[in-house]
Amino acid sequence: MVNIALIGYGYWGPNLARNVHQVPGAKLAVCCDADASRLAQVNLLYPLATVTTRAEDVWASPAVDAVVIATPAQSHFQLAKAALEAGKHVLVEKPLALSSEEARELIKLADARKLVLMVGHTFVYNPAVLKIKELIDQGQLGDVYYAYSTRVNLGRLHRDLNVLWSVVPHDISILLFLFGHMPLEVSARGNSYLKSGVEDVVFVSLFFPNGVMGNVHASWLDPSKVRRMTIVGSQKMVIYDDVESEGKIKVYEKGVLKVDHGEIFGEFQYKLHTGDIHIPKIDLSEPLRNECAHFVECVEKGTKPRTDGENGLQVIKVLEAAQRSLEKRGAPVEVR
Ligand SMILES: NC(=O)c1ccc[n+]([C@@H]2O[C@H](COP(=O)([O-])OP(=O)(O)OC[C@H]3O[C@@H](n4cnc5c(N)ncnc54)[C@H](O)[C@@H]3O)[C@@H](O)[C@H]2O)c1
């Protein structure tokens, strides 16, 4: 049995508590939130869990094997570092930290102590995303040309962390997973309308090897909730709509075929091809449940998570390049 302490029971924490509680082999042993008023609900829902307002109680408890951190991003590094130093395995919400230096320090610490360090890139545990990855890897889309994503809604705004760092990690983690590469270069534009210096809307372009391109539009200042990604390949195209309850993925047999002209040597004709639209069956498991189960399995077996510290670092490197580009009004910035 893996005894888990959850730190942060605000908006997202209750989802993690429910999933940790339900994963076989895991026990929600402690729930910690600096705001005592958040803990009353924990007592009602999980009477067997101990509650505390002090993270130090978690570090000191020999009964805790692993820690799940769901506090605002500004505290991720400090809490994850303290947890690792106390010998606990760590699952930290995205982004792993707020700089690549911090992420590297966490990776080093986890490696030295042989502890699991995992980041909550939830979409990498989403059956719809896994299905798209399968289609790409099987070559069903042909050559992938480009993908673009829209992740907008009204609300869940942050006072200090811009929409790039709070929302775009999702899309970057999906694109890195699907393409299996880091982008070479990033260009980002955005603006702050509500609070100076905190961008509410960003448009991020990512340039991958072999001419593959990605684009992300994220905003918390938008009339409707949209969670949609389009992937365009030479053979087929996919639209992934995460808001849909059925038919999240639609595969379009559409493309442009380059065929020999026939009469003029070396010349090609371009023919539009439009075929069927398929809705693949995808398993309906909850992505966060899969993520929590994966964490528990990695702790039990001592294996590296699919979204390990290195993966968290990769996403941060892209975010850092995008942030530099934002500050240079969209100038292309190399991802280092
Ligand atoms: N994977 C996803 O889809 C997803 C969705 C939403 C949020 N998140 C992530 O979850 C994390 C939390 O976001 P949220 O929206 O729930 O934030 P929130 O502000 O609603 O909740 C954070 C909670 O943490 C507590 N807290 C803060 N510092 C603490 C400390 N040092 N010790 C103990 N408790 C502390 C606060 O009192 C608060 O209750 C963020 O990292 C965010 O990026 C992930």
Side-chain angles (χ1 to χ4, degrees), residues 7-14 16 32-35 38 53-55 69-73 75-76 78-79 93-95 120-123 156 158 161 165-166 170 288 291:
I7 305 189
Y9 196 81
Y11 162 71
W12 194 241
L16 283 156
C32 166
D33 197 297
D35 176 355
R38 296 294 307 148
T53 56
R54 294 163 21 97
I69 298 169
T71 58
S75 55
H76 287 181
Q78 173 233 326
L79 290 172
E93 258 310 326
K94 53 83 201 163
H121 292 153
T122 321
F123 282 90
R156 299 284 327 142
H158 292 240
L161 199 64
W165 284 83
S166 52
H170 285 314
L288 197 58
E291 177 189 311

Side-chain angles (χ1 to χ4, degrees), residues 40-188:
Q41 198 193 75
V42 179
N43 284 326
L44 278 176
L45 292 175
Y46 311 103
L48 297 180
T50 311
V51 294
T52 175
T53 56
R54 294 163 21 97
E56 293 73 20
D57 294 342
V58 173
W59 318 146
S61 169
V64 171
D65 307 306
V67 174
V68 175
I69 298 169
T71 58
Q74 290 86 341
S75 55
H76 287 181
F77 170 68
Q78 173 233 326
L79 290 172
K81 183 171 183 239
L84 291 167
E85 282 172 344
K88 318 291 186 198
H89 303 282
V90 172
L91 163 58
V92 59
E93 258 310 326
K94 53 83 201 163
L96 173 60
L98 291 181
S99 72
S100 40
E101 288 75 26
E102 289 178 350
R104 281 196 195 90
E105 194 175 330
L106 295 178
I107 293 168
K108 223 168 126 186
L109 197 53
D111 284 350
R113 308 214 171 193
K114 297 194 169 28
L115 293 166
V116 172
L117 173 63
M118 173 165 155
V119 58
H121 292 153
T122 321
F123 282 90
V124 175
Y125 301 91
N126 185 313
V129 174
L130 293 173
K131 185 61 166 184
I132 301 171
K133 173 77 172 155
E134 186 186 304
L135 295 172
I136 292 176
D137 288 354
Q138 287 171 346
Q140 293 211 33
L141 305 195
D143 295 330
V144 174
Y145 289 152
Y146 69 96
Y148 64 95
S149 160
T150 307
R151 190 174 300 279
V152 299
N153 68 319
L154 186 66
R156 299 284 327 142
L157 40 104
H158 292 240
R159 285 179 190 283
D160 304 309
L161 199 64
N162 66 12
V163 76
L164 172 71
W165 284 83
S166 52
V167 174
V168 179
H170 285 314
D171 304 283
I172 296 175
S173 67
I174 297 173
L175 290 173
L176 298 192
F177 178 65
L178 292 182
F179 294 167
H181 285 289
M182 281 289 276
L184 303 170
E185 201 174 82
V186 176
S187 177

Side-chain angles (χ1 to χ4, degrees), residues 229-266:
M229 183 176 269
T230 302
I231 301 115
V232 173
S234 57
Q235 307 282 334
K236 291 181 189 169
M237 305 180 182
V238 172
I239 295 183
Y240 161 37
D241 189 342
D242 199 57
V243 176
E244 284 268 345
S245 51
E246 274 186 56
K248 281 187 193 295
I249 300 177
K250 294 197 177 78
V251 184
Y252 293 76
E253 287 188 4
K254 287 190 176 193
V256 179
L257 305 175
K258 200 172 157 186
V259 286
D260 266 331
H261 194 285
E263 287 164 19
I264 310 168
F265 178 74

Side-chain angles (χ1 to χ4, degrees), residues 1-2 4 6 9 13-29 45-46 48-49 68 284-294 296-297 300:
M1 185 62 74
V2 179
I4 295 181
L6 170 66
Y9 196 81
N15 295 322
L16 283 156
R18 173 172 53 79
N19 279 293
V20 164
H21 180 67
Q22 291 172 354
V23 167
K27 182 180 159 202
L28 182 67
L45 292 175
Y46 311 103
L48 297 180
V68 175
L284 292 175
S285 59
E286 185 179 346
L288 197 58
R289 171 73 60 84
N290 301 340
E291 177 189 311
C292 291
H294 184 64
V296 170
E297 189 189 341
E300 280 171 340

